[in-house]
Amino acid sequence: MGFSKIYQWAADRKGGEAAMKAMMPRVAEPGELAAIPDDRYLSEITRCIFKAGFVWRVIDNKWPDFEAAFEGFVPLYWQQVPPDILEDLAADERIVRNMQKIRTVPDNARMIVDVAHEYGSFGQFLEQWPAEDEVGLLLWLKKNGARLGGNSAQYFLRRMGWDGFILSNDVVTALRREEVLDASPSSQKALKQAQQAFNDWHKETGLPYSHLSRILSFSVGD
């Protein structure tokens, strides 16, 4: 079945096409990702890591305190931060005191700094990675970053405006309904199956991948 039927289901469930279009995620304009400073990438990566398995609203409400505690998330500083600073953060009541997640900041700072040395900035690295190979980017982030497996990297990319899909529960349900996914959502096989489906729908519709993903999620339910 083509994507037009899915599109219509989603529009009907959300009160019409105009209402549905108003709910689409924002996609970065050309050059926009490259212009974002590296500290904003480390900040957003960290936010998505802390949200995993936690109440998102709590993390968002506390985020100004996180910014203060982590002094703006400057990668060049955090890549070589002394261990006692991390210990102090584990006792800092301004943030969620999860030491395992706190320790991801130096690891992900080093990833960003290393990429910046090669590409000029982390944003320029993301800018050049094609949406038709989101799987490759997710696997790269999982390999080179800390706690960037699962959906954390997908949500990070979406929040920055990189054009990609998210394998949320509703998206997985819709992909299974369309019989284009038959593997565990956390497996590489499922990622590749999803990528192929989204590549095909992108060619069919010309819609951004993130919009296709959102529309697919809207098509689930009565």
Side-chain angles (χ1 to χ4, degrees):
M1 178 177 64
F3 198 79
S4 59
K5 184 63 176 179
I6 299 170
Y7 187 97
Q8 193 58 54
W9 285 342
D12 289 345
R13 290 192 68 251
K14 293 301 176 182
E17 187 175 8
M20 182 182 71
K21 285 183 175 179
M23 302 178 195
M24 292 299 103
R26 184 178 179 280
V27 179
E29 297 290 338
E32 186 176 340
L33 293 174
I36 297 173
D38 285 346
D39 62 278
R40 294 302 86 205
Y41 285 110
L42 182 57
S43 172
E44 202 55 57
I45 285 173
T46 307
R47 189 198 297 238
C48 290
I49 288 170
F50 271 87
K51 281 183 172 182
F54 206 78
V55 180
W56 290 13
R57 180 181 65 258
V58 172
I59 300 300
D60 284 336
N61 288 342
K62 292 177 72 70
W63 203 248
D65 290 332
F66 271 82
E67 288 282 351
F70 284 92
E71 301 181 22
F73 290 98
V74 178
L76 284 171
Y77 170 75
W78 287 103
Q79 69 162 340
Q80 54 188 2
V81 67
D84 60 298
I85 298 296
L86 301 182
E87 296 292 341
D88 289 344
L89 284 167
D92 193 327
E93 295 183 355
R94 292 175 295 176
I95 68 171
V96 174
R97 292 165 289 173
N98 182 315
M99 189 57 169
Q100 288 185 327
K101 293 186 177 185
I102 290 170
R103 285 185 176 135
T104 67
V105 175
D107 292 337
N108 289 323
R110 283 190 288 273
M111 173 186 70
I112 289 172
V113 170
D114 288 346
V115 167
H117 283 157
E118 182 174 355
Y119 289 88
S121 72
F122 196 74
Q124 291 183 62
F125 167 72
L126 290 182
E127 187 87 44
Q128 57 82 44
W129 201 293
E132 61 266 27
D133 184 30
E134 180 176 354
V135 173
L137 179 54
L138 293 174
L139 294 176
W140 187 94
L141 289 167
K142 181 179 180 180
K143 176 182 178 181
N144 293 279
R147 296 179 77 103
L148 288 177
N151 284 10
S152 293
Q154 297 171 34
Y155 283 110
F156 155 67
L157 293 171
R158 173 68 60 82
R159 286 183 62 86
M160 300 310 298
W162 194 87
D163 186 25
F165 59 83
I166 291 177
L167 291 185
S168 66
N169 290 337
D170 283 346
V171 169
V172 169
T173 297
L175 290 170
R176 292 195 187 283
R177 182 195 65 210
E178 301 304 311
E179 299 182 344
V180 295
L181 188 148
D182 61 11
S184 169
S186 61
S187 68
Q188 287 192 34
K189 180 180 179 182
L191 283 173
K192 291 175 181 177
Q193 289 176 335
Q195 184 77 73
Q196 185 60 59
F198 280 107
N199 286 351
D200 291 343
W201 286 325
H202 176 70
K203 290 176 183 176
E204 175 191 343
T205 66
L207 291 172
Y209 285 75
S210 60
H211 291 195
L212 292 168
S213 179
R214 181 68 60 83
I215 292 166
L216 203 64
S217 73
F218 286 166
S219 74
V220 172
D222 297 330

